[in-house]
Amino acid sequence: MAAPRHDSAALADLAPTSPVLTRDATQQEVIFTVPPAAVMARVRLNIAARPLSFEPQPGLEVSLNGGPAVALDPLPQAFSAQFDFGPEDIIEGRNRLTVRLAGPAPTKQTGWELDWDNSRLDLLFMAPGAQDRETFEKWMAADFGPPRSVSFAALALPEAAQADLQSRFAIALGRRSGGPLRFVGPQNAADLAAAVVIDPRLSKARLTHSGGEAARLTLSAPDLAAARAALHDFAADAPAREPHIPPARHVRNDLAAVARGELGRPGYSLALPERRDDRAAALSLLARLAREQAAPMMPGWVGFDPLEAPASADLAVIADGAALPPALLTNAPRALEAALRAAEPKPIYKRFRIGAQASAAMPDGGAAARFPSASNSAAWTTIITSARGVTLHQALSELIEADSLDRFSGRVMHWRNGVVQVQDRGAWRAPGAAALKPRTGELARTLNFLTVLGGLISILLLGVSIRRRKFGRLIHGV
């Protein structure tokens, strides 16, 4: 049995029904799943709601899987209540939380609006982990207790081959994960340790699972080709799930398609960062995108240098902004340069005053663009990168953990501190051989700022002088 684990989720993230309880809908439900053989130690619910009016309202009853209901009789005002269910009320697999009116609702203004965003379910439990394929699938898809971190080890393989298999593992695991997956280095502790063993003595590839304190998923294969094929089958066998991001209107030339996991057409090329911490963040993003794929979209080529990718296929590049080759950006829209500037960390002034010191904002900005490839106008290049002064893993964390991906749209966009802005919605315009111009003109911008500041100070001093003259005239009767 593994160590006790604590997991919590907002009810809004558990696909609840409507939040409104009225005479037409006296009961609402929230469905969630727990891993196989989980032993509960604590089941705590914090529920928040507001009345539909200030008239006297009926009470509420909350139950779990049809068990004894907890009765609430709040005043007709917004409230939050916390209470515990018995651990025996949770069952293995699918569970149902029910909230219903405890009395009649004679008018349309009688009832409650449940605040799913600020209502949370908190579980403390122990689970043995995956012992076979069936329990592994249920564990991965559970709303509570699935693996949140994954390590990968294939130390006998070259770095490029490791990146190839890592990307395929990320897609296969992301398609069956109940939440975001964070990839970490092989030396770090993780909820799931994935490994690849190449053994020429084997006749075919096989996946093995083991639970306990450290869950393991090991792929053994006679060669790299067999390992790739096994991971493709593993991704295709993921249980079907309804993507939560709506279909893109422009599949090929709009970043909304990226939010659905479409980094390119089948057989696309994928360029990943060579730095391991940046690559781990890129793998986490791949797993996040794979959750939206209706079918597994495996790359045909995986490497570190995007200029080595086949020119005949679409290309997806996830890289630090400083590592993007200038030749890759020959056909980039002009708006990409503006997007990268807008995503840079901006200084924050707590109070405007002369001599105020600025503090840098939390650096998590980046930009994305999709445009025709420079070497083949029939193929498309998709770039997801970080702004200057921001590391790639900082920039991608915003896309992995928050809902910024849901707002992907247009040909060029950027994100910074949780704000997503589309930079170019229309037809792309290539800047020609100049590509992205280097950042120049810093001195000119500084001089312009000082000029404007001097003008403002002059206006303020002129205003003070005018007030003094008027005051003198009043005093002296002039």
Side-chain angles (χ1 to χ4, degrees):
M1 183 69 70
R5 180 167 181 176
H6 170 263
D7 209 347
S8 177
L11 298 190
D13 297 332
L14 301 176
T17 54
S18 169
V20 179
L21 290 166
T22 65
R23 66 179 183 181
D24 298 323
T26 61
Q27 177 176 302
Q28 301 296 348
E29 295 179 342
V30 178
I31 305 298
F32 64 93
T33 55
V34 298
V39 178
M40 293 293 154
R42 187 183 70 208
V43 182
R44 178 166 295 169
L45 176 68
N46 187 299
I47 189 166
R50 62 182 67 90
L52 297 182
S53 69
F54 293 108
E55 302 172 0
Q57 303 291 344
L60 297 172
E61 292 181 348
V62 186
S63 61
L64 192 56
N65 296 317
V70 176
L72 303 174
D73 190 21
L75 296 172
Q77 60 188 24
F79 77 94
S80 176
Q82 178 178 287
F83 48 87
D84 291 351
F85 288 102
E88 67 279 359
D89 292 331
I90 291 282
I91 60 177
E92 181 177 323
R94 193 169 184 264
N95 289 261
R96 177 182 287 103
L97 178 70
T98 304
V99 186
R100 57 179 175 268
L101 295 178
T107 69
K108 291 185 178 181
Q109 299 301 316
T110 305
W112 295 88
E113 181 181 359
L114 301 168
D115 186 352
W116 292 136
D117 289 319
N118 290 312
S119 300
R120 300 191 68 84
L121 186 61
D122 185 278
L123 304 182
L124 182 65
F125 59 93
M126 293 181 290
Q131 302 291 340
D132 52 38
R133 181 64 176 269
E134 181 181 1
T135 56
F136 175 82
E137 296 291 0
K138 292 179 179 178
W139 177 52
M140 287 292 300
D143 294 309
F144 290 88
R148 305 296 187 192
S149 57
V150 180
S151 65
F152 178 88
L155 302 181
L157 296 177
E159 202 72 20
Q162 290 189 44
D164 187 320
L165 297 179
Q166 284 173 332
S167 64
R168 301 173 195 278
F169 248 122
I171 293 171
L173 293 176
R175 296 197 68 236
R176 47 185 30 93
S177 174
L181 285 176
R182 182 173 57 88
F183 278 75
V184 298
Q187 73 281 1
N188 299 100
D191 299 331
L192 174 64
V196 173
V197 177
I198 301 298
D199 186 351
R201 296 172 298 178
L202 298 175
S203 59
K204 62 179 182 179
R206 66 172 184 269
L207 277 167
T208 56
H209 313 78
S210 62
E213 288 292 334
R216 296 187 62 84
L217 176 64
T218 304
L219 170 62
S220 303
D223 51 40
L224 282 176
R228 292 189 188 100
L231 287 174
H232 185 278
D233 294 340
F234 182 46
D237 290 342
R241 183 172 52 195
E242 186 70 22
H244 83 276
I245 295 179
R249 288 176 293 176
H250 308 290
V251 174
R252 289 188 61 200
N253 60 355
D254 198 295
L255 289 170
V258 176
R260 296 182 60 228
E262 299 176 10
L263 288 172
R265 287 166 290 184
Y268 69 96
S269 300
L270 175 64
L272 293 173
E274 194 164 1
R275 281 174 53 100
R276 291 193 173 184
D277 54 346
D278 285 345
R279 195 193 320 161
L283 294 172
S284 302
L285 177 61
L286 283 179
R288 172 67 179 82
L289 294 175
R291 296 176 61 193
E292 307 301 331
Q293 296 174 357
M297 303 189 70
M298 291 291 188
W301 175 91
V302 179
F304 298 133
D305 187 352
L307 300 182
E308 296 179 356
S312 58
D314 292 344
L315 173 63
V317 181
I318 306 175
D320 188 281
L324 293 175
L328 181 69
L329 305 174
T330 302
N331 256 17
R334 295 181 184 276
L336 179 56
E337 183 181 8
L340 287 170
R341 290 185 181 278
E344 292 178 4
K346 303 298 188 295
I348 297 176
Y349 293 90
K350 294 184 178 180
R351 184 179 179 183
F352 181 77
R353 64 183 184 274
I354 297 176
Q357 292 185 348
S359 59
M362 182 64 68
D364 63 358
R370 173 166 281 190
F371 51 91
S373 300
S375 57
N376 181 5
S377 60
W380 289 78
T381 295
T382 302
I383 292 177
I384 301 176
T385 187
S386 56
R388 185 177 63 172
V390 182
T391 62
L392 184 65
H393 65 270
Q394 288 172 328
L396 296 186
S397 64
E398 171 71 19
L399 300 183
I400 299 165
E401 302 294 339
D403 59 352
S404 300
L405 275 173
D406 299 6
R407 301 190 292 277
F408 261 43
S409 181
R411 314 293 175 83
V412 180
M413 48 78 60
H414 76 270
W415 68 92
R416 185 173 68 86
N417 295 339
V419 177
V420 177
Q421 181 175 342
V422 177
Q423 208 79 21
D424 179 8
R425 293 187 183 275
W428 65 278
R429 297 172 61 187
L436 295 184
K437 297 179 181 179
R439 295 175 174 87
T440 58
E442 300 292 342
L443 178 59
R445 282 194 293 274
T446 302
L447 292 175
N448 289 337
F449 170 77
L450 293 175
T451 302
V452 173
L453 181 60
L456 290 174
I457 293 175
S458 299
I459 292 173
L460 290 175
L461 293 176
L462 179 60
V464 171
S465 176
I466 292 173
R467 289 193 187 94
R468 286 180 176 176
R469 289 178 183 177
K470 289 183 178 180
F471 184 76
R473 289 173 182 175
L474 290 174
I475 294 296
H476 300 289
V478 180

